[in-house]
Amino acid sequence: MRTLEEQIEVTAPVGTAWSQLHRVAEYPLFVAGVVQASAHGRHHARLDVEFGGERHAVDAELTDHGRGRVMSWETVEGPPLRGTFALRPLDASHTRVQLRLEYDPQELAGVLGGPLGFAQSRAVEEAVRTDLELFKQLCEE
């Protein structure tokens, strides 16, 4: 497994960022490749993801970790991915969003295609950074 950790500061209260993170239907607005998303119950999401001109269904299980403002997710169908969002209030109007993503490069390339090795790691890093910037914009609107 490869692990990627990124963070960004958002000019919004932690509650605003937390609410945005739970608007599954809005994931296409800030998650690269997601063209449609819907929540299924309180702890599951279905994402239609497009890579290389092909659409793939990805089912994920979401877990909130209480009042600590931490949400974990893991795919239960589709490419093996696991991640955690941690939201930390910096003050009343600023929040640090921390993301930890774990993925297996070989399995990811096998399911979704794309580059291997360093090129794939770079592509994943760039996508995550862009996703966090888009998430920041949504929270600050």
Side-chain angles (χ1 to χ4, degrees):
M1 281 291 219
R2 180 160 291 150
T3 301
L4 172 64
E5 294 180 353
E6 291 289 335
Q7 64 182 10
I8 194 166
E9 186 177 313
V10 175
T11 304
V14 70
T16 299
W18 186 247
S19 293
Q20 183 63 56
L21 189 59
H22 285 80
R23 293 184 191 129
V24 174
E26 293 184 10
Y27 284 10
L29 299 175
F30 70 91
V31 180
V34 175
V35 293
Q36 186 172 359
S38 58
H40 292 277
R42 292 188 62 198
H43 301 290
H44 288 87
R46 176 166 178 110
L47 310 174
D48 291 330
V49 183
E50 192 170 292
F51 285 99
E54 292 184 30
R55 197 175 263 201
H56 304 270
V58 177
D59 290 320
E61 183 174 355
L62 311 173
T63 307
D64 285 344
H65 298 283
R67 298 165 45 101
R69 305 284 186 176
V70 176
M71 183 180 88
S72 297
W73 56 271
E74 184 171 0
T75 56
V76 292
E77 189 174 312
L81 300 165
R82 181 178 22 220
T84 301
F85 284 96
L87 306 182
R88 305 286 183 236
L90 299 174
D91 60 33
S93 59
H94 294 87
T95 302
R96 177 171 292 127
V97 179
Q98 299 170 304
L99 170 65
R100 177 184 174 99
L101 175 67
E102 297 176 29
Y103 66 100
D104 183 317
Q106 295 293 347
E107 289 190 50
L108 191 62
V111 174
L112 301 177
L116 294 173
F118 180 75
Q120 182 190 52
S121 294
R122 183 90 170 139
V124 170
E125 287 174 15
E126 288 175 8
V128 166
R129 286 186 190 117
T130 299
D131 292 351
L132 286 173
E133 285 291 338
L134 292 171
F135 181 78
K136 173 184 171 87
Q137 289 174 16
L138 282 174
C139 290
E140 293 178 351
E141 288 181 349

